[in-house]
Amino acid sequence: MAEPQQQQHYLELSENPVQFEHASSVNNVFFDEANKQVFAVRSGGATGVVVKGPDDKSSVAFRMDDKGEVKCIKFSIGNKILAVQRTSKSVDFINFIPDYPHTEFTQECKTKNANVLGFCWTNWNEIVFITDQGIEFYQVFPDKRSLKLLKSQSINVNWYQYCPETAVILLSTTVQGNILQPFAFRNGTMSKMSKFEIELPVVPKPAKLSLSERDIAMATIYGQLYVMYLKHHSRTANSPSAEVVLYHLPREGACKKSHVLKLNTTGKFALNIVDNLVVVHHQSSQTSLIFDIKLKEPDCAVNTHQPVLPARSIHPYRIPLAGPAVVPSQPPVPCQLYSSSWSVFQPDIIISASEGYLWYLQVKLPPTVNLLQDKGKLMDFLLRRRDCKMVILSVCLQILEGGEKGSLPVVATVFDKLNQVYKEYLEAEQSYTVAMESGPSRGSAAQKRPVRTQAVIDQSDMYTHVLSSFTERKGVSHKFVIAVLMEYIRSLNQHQITVQHYLYELVIKTLVQHNLFYMLHQFLQYHVLSDSKPLACLLLSLESTYPPAHQLSLDMLKRLSTANDEIVEVLLSKQQVLGALRFIRSVGGHDNVSARKFLDAARQTGDQMLFYTVFRSFQQRNQRLRGSPAFNPGEHCEEHVVHFKQLFGEQALMKPSTV
């Protein structure tokens, strides 16, 4: 019974973590969120630094002079310039650009009596000092080994946070620390955004709360920047549990409280963002919750969210043993999950300084399928995830194979949700094509080709992975199979998506397999199955099983109007030569058709009078068009003329009429 429980871990740590020297063997470990680099710093004589990043390119080891304890250390983007803070008054710089002087240079903060709280690189050569009295924005000139102050702003600062993805710095101001002032940086400019207030829990007087840096995180969710506030339990009866309050921080305009995530418990928490999901880790229960802010709860106030799934722990992780003393048979050591030595960084990073590991947190979608019983809600959840296609297709098959009772409305809901996304992609693709054909218009930004995400489940995906195997499944009633196929076609039509002929073919084959010819006749008669040449050809092939299919096919080809050649071919192949001749006259194509094709078909019937009638018909056409009943050499009818003479004599040939 342990296996199903194990299957329910929907969060896991990345298989190949970044390894670094753990805290017990170095003086200090620092993490740089912008470059995703861990700095292991060892002091004594010279300072040894080992930098480990997500790949080998971003990993480097070097020594620098020991000028005091390192408080903060970060590379600029691309490992070009290293910045090191050792005092509360200045930051030191070292060039790592090839052929540039490697000597250290220093920049003191400009504000008198200010203490540097930290710094952030906003570009490869742009840096912001955050002091307790404001911020200073500098440009670094590595060749001149100097900095130039671009802009500064005076403001009392308690602490700060930085979101590298959006280059936004958030400053905590005022005594309680709950007035937050964001600044945005872009291409050498610094702009002040709207400040906002975090609503602190109400506490009995005279106690006063202040906002802790630990309870604030910044992250991008669904392309929008949010400030996440971990609002802890206050001792009032009406709010016994903690919650995460999300404040939407737009580039322009006011920051507004937009979502509340109900944690339904109290204690120590940490936040991550994975695949646009807010993950809340709870230390004492050693479990995590996930929230999707795009899923609306029907029975909750607007933008109040309950966890999408029940709380589960991260999948157990085993640390492989390494080193010369390792015996091959020694099993890996289980990692202590939710350890007090864990540090969590945005968006999806977990670091264990004691064990020397940096992991990326990941969402596993297959275990979520059985945890979310509402299949409509499950589909909404899956459609917004990165690697969702095969999981969605497996859910569709699971619903169809799960039995018929009451499942058709669920099937309809699922198909509609899938086709809504499919339609949006097709429309975006179409508008992109139109824009490309019309060329760039003045003043409008160049249109980007729409990205086809895994959420786009097209007819081919559905046919290959779901419908074709479902129709062949034993033990499912044919009525349910046909109902499902027609439901999918209904959904495509409702979303104005052209139905591919292979889906209609699947319907027809299923109907024929179960001898449901009456239903087939009705579907065609009432145009439930749309006309197409491949479908008409399929109907023709069914004539031996169901004779009326021949006429149904011809009727379809006539309606298509662009299919005159096919109709002629079909009639000739059935030796209905006069029928083909009458048809081609009725559509005004008699003057252009190949006489030889008709004469070949008439001769193959062995009916001499039919051959005479067809031959005479084309002689009359030649007389009318060219003034002579004779065939042109290019028509290659010589053998038929000889055959006609053998049958009826030369005197039976039509003579040129004289006017």
Side-chain angles (χ1 to χ4, degrees):
M1 287 301 289
E3 186 60 20
Q5 179 60 32
Q6 188 186 355
Q7 291 299 316
Q8 294 193 337
H9 298 287
Y10 48 77
L11 291 167
E12 63 182 355
L13 302 174
S14 51
E15 269 183 38
N16 301 311
V18 176
Q19 284 182 266
F20 56 91
E21 290 186 81
H22 49 79
S24 59
S25 63
V26 294
N27 297 80
N28 245 323
V29 175
F30 299 93
F31 179 63
D32 172 16
E33 290 181 65
N35 293 316
K36 311 280 187 282
Q37 291 172 319
V38 180
F39 289 75
V41 179
R42 185 188 277 112
S43 304
T47 303
V49 182
V50 178
V51 185
K52 289 292 179 80
D55 51 45
D56 292 338
K57 270 189 211 164
S58 54
S59 301
V60 65
F62 56 88
R63 289 183 171 280
M64 56 188 187
D65 294 338
D66 193 345
K67 295 181 177 177
E69 186 194 344
V70 173
K71 292 177 184 290
C72 185
I73 182 167
K74 292 175 195 174
F75 269 117
S76 73
I77 295 150
N79 289 9
K80 289 187 165 62
I81 308 163
L82 180 73
V84 186
Q85 185 193 345
R86 297 183 176 100
T87 75
S88 61
K89 300 295 177 189
S90 63
V91 177
D92 302 324
F93 296 87
I94 306 170
N95 283 329
F96 273 73
I97 303 167
D99 306 325
Y100 273 55
H102 202 65
T103 333
E104 281 192 25
F105 53 103
T106 302
Q107 177 66 49
E108 289 198 1
C109 67
K110 298 281 187 190
T111 315
K112 274 189 180 178
N113 304 322
N115 293 312
V116 178
L117 301 176
F119 60 85
C120 304
W121 287 101
T122 58
N123 205 332
W124 79 268
N125 65 341
E126 288 166 8
I127 193 166
V128 183
F129 290 6
I130 300 97
T131 75
D132 55 5
Q133 293 182 32
I135 55 174
E136 300 172 3
F137 183 33
Y138 291 95
Q139 185 174 357
V140 184
F141 296 96
D143 50 344
K144 296 174 184 169
R145 295 173 51 248
S146 65
L147 282 79
K148 175 190 173 188
L149 182 67
L150 298 174
K151 201 170 181 182
S152 64
Q153 176 85 40
S154 290
I155 183 170
N156 285 332
V157 180
N158 303 309
W159 46 262
Y160 72 95
Q161 288 209 357
Y162 179 54
C163 176
E165 202 179 341
T166 53
V168 170
I169 291 177
L170 195 63
L171 306 179
S172 157
T173 70
T174 69
V175 177
Q176 285 186 280
N178 64 327
I179 305 289
L180 300 182
Q181 175 62 66
F183 288 88
F185 298 84
R186 189 185 283 170
N187 304 329
T189 62
M190 174 176 106
S191 47
K192 194 176 183 180
M193 298 164 73
S194 300
K195 69 178 174 185
F196 62 99
E197 182 177 354
I198 297 280
E199 294 171 30
L200 297 174
V202 178
V203 289
K205 288 179 180 178
K208 270 194 175 180
L209 277 181
S210 62
L211 183 63
S212 163
E213 182 181 359
R214 283 194 309 275
D215 296 334
I216 291 288
M218 271 198 296
T220 303
I221 309 169
Y222 292 115
Q224 299 294 315
L225 179 60
Y226 288 91
V227 173
M228 301 185 287
Y229 167 44
L230 200 46
K231 191 174 186 179
H232 288 282
H233 165 54
S234 65
R235 286 172 177 78
T236 52
N238 63 350
S239 60
S241 299
E243 54 192 33
V244 178
V245 185
L246 266 59
Y247 292 82
H248 178 223
L249 188 54
R251 280 266 167 191
E252 314 256 320
C255 177
K256 286 184 183 152
K257 177 176 166 179
S258 56
H259 299 274
V260 176
L261 317 181
K262 294 288 187 183
L263 305 184
N264 307 316
T265 185
T266 60
K268 261 190 167 183
F269 300 96
L271 302 171
N272 274 132
I273 304 294
V274 184
D275 203 2
N276 291 311
L277 295 167
V278 180
V279 181
V280 184
H281 307 291
H282 185 227
Q283 194 176 21
S284 58
S285 67
Q286 301 203 344
T287 58
S288 302
L289 294 165
I290 58 171
F291 295 85
D292 185 347
I293 62 169
K294 283 209 173 176
L295 280 182
K296 294 280 192 293
E297 293 290 334
D299 54 348
C300 288
V302 182
N303 295 337
T304 299
H305 305 265
Q306 291 294 335
V308 178
L309 302 169
R312 290 288 183 270
S313 69
I314 295 168
H315 195 285
Y317 186 88
R318 293 183 176 277
I319 295 173
L321 294 167
V326 174
V327 179
S329 60
Q330 255 183 303
V333 181
C335 166
Q336 191 194 337
L337 300 175
Y338 303 91
S339 157
S340 56
S341 72
W342 274 18
S343 301
V344 172
F345 295 93
Q346 300 312 318
D348 55 357
I349 285 165
I350 294 173
I351 291 178
S352 172
S354 62
E355 290 160 327
Y357 279 93
L358 178 153
W359 293 281
Y360 291 93
L361 187 65
Q362 297 165 341
V363 172
K364 290 197 298 180
L365 293 179
T368 67
V369 171
N370 298 321
L371 289 170
L372 241 178
Q373 297 312 311
D374 180 336
K375 296 305 172 198
K377 191 174 173 184
L378 173 64
M379 223 23 92
D380 287 337
F381 173 77
L382 292 174
L383 281 166
R384 297 193 185 99
R385 308 286 74 85
R386 230 185 342 254
D387 302 316
C388 62
K389 178 169 282 188
M390 295 319 293
V391 181
I392 287 173
L393 292 167
S394 75
V395 169
C396 291
L397 203 52
Q398 187 186 347
I399 295 168
L400 296 181
E401 292 174 352
E404 301 163 35
K405 197 177 176 186
S407 68
L408 207 56
V410 176
V411 170
T413 301
V414 167
F415 286 161
D416 284 343
K417 286 179 185 295
L418 296 181
N419 288 329
Q420 180 61 38
V421 176
Y422 180 23
K423 175 64 174 173
E424 284 165 9
Y425 170 74
L426 291 175
E427 283 178 342
E429 188 69 50
Q430 191 179 3
S431 65
Y432 171 78
T433 307
V434 170
M436 289 300 102
E437 284 169 358
S438 59
S441 57
R442 207 189 287 170
S444 71
Q447 198 166 349
K448 285 184 182 172
R449 186 179 196 125
V451 177
R452 182 177 178 142
T453 66
Q454 285 207 13
V456 178
I457 310 284
D458 63 18
Q459 296 172 67
S460 163
D461 296 322
M462 190 56 78
Y463 175 84
T464 308
H465 298 284
V466 180
L467 298 175
S468 55
S469 60
F470 169 62
T471 54
E472 289 163 16
R473 194 168 175 81
K474 301 275 189 292
V476 183
S477 85
H478 58 264
K479 284 183 181 174
F480 183 60
V481 170
I482 291 158
V484 166
L485 293 174
M486 296 317 296
E487 196 54 61
Y488 186 58
I489 288 167
R490 187 264 326 145
S491 178
L492 290 168
N493 285 326
Q494 189 175 310
H495 288 87
Q496 297 172 316
I497 299 168
T498 307
V499 181
Q500 295 297 318
H501 64 83
Y502 48 75
L503 290 172
Y504 290 136
E505 285 172 20
L506 196 57
V507 173
I508 291 172
K509 282 174 184 170
T510 308
L511 291 168
V512 170
Q513 199 179 338
H514 298 284
N515 296 317
L516 296 169
F517 297 113
Y518 171 75
M519 196 180 275
L520 170 61
H521 210 112
Q522 281 200 316
F523 279 177
L524 292 164
Q525 201 174 352
Y526 295 108
H527 308 298
V528 174
L529 307 176
S530 298
D531 298 343
S532 74
K533 290 181 191 178
L535 210 54
C537 294
L538 176 65
L539 287 170
L540 276 175
S541 70
L542 297 173
E543 190 185 4
S544 57
T545 322
Y546 181 56
H550 173 69
Q551 191 55 47
L552 288 168
S553 166
L554 283 186
D555 293 344
M556 184 179 285
L557 287 167
K558 280 179 188 171
R559 287 195 299 272
L560 285 165
S561 70
T562 55
N564 295 338
D565 292 344
E566 279 89 345
I567 296 175
V568 169
E569 294 294 341
V570 168
L571 291 168
L572 292 179
S573 70
K574 302 289 175 191
Q575 299 195 333
Q576 295 183 17
V577 185
L578 289 180
L581 210 51
R582 278 195 296 273
F583 170 74
I584 207 71
R585 277 194 184 129
S586 72
V587 294
H590 183 241
D591 292 354
N592 304 315
V593 293
S594 159
R596 180 179 171 170
K597 185 190 284 186
F598 280 80
L599 292 168
D600 282 346
R603 193 169 165 182
Q604 278 168 11
T605 63
D607 185 335
Q608 293 183 2
M609 286 317 296
L610 174 65
F611 182 75
Y612 181 91
T613 307
V614 173
F615 190 92
R616 198 31 95 79
S617 164
F618 280 102
Q619 277 197 312
Q620 288 167 346
R621 180 189 79 164
N622 296 344
Q623 175 70 43
R624 182 168 50 79
L625 293 177
R626 299 194 290 268
S628 165
F631 291 96
N632 280 342
E635 292 181 272
H636 306 293
C637 291
E638 292 80 7
E639 63 175 291
H640 293 302
V641 173
V642 171
H643 184 65
F644 186 86
K645 285 178 185 175
Q646 286 170 348
L647 289 176
F648 307 109
E650 192 158 343
Q651 71 281 5
L653 284 171
M654 193 175 156
K655 302 290 183 287
S657 60
T658 51
V659 180

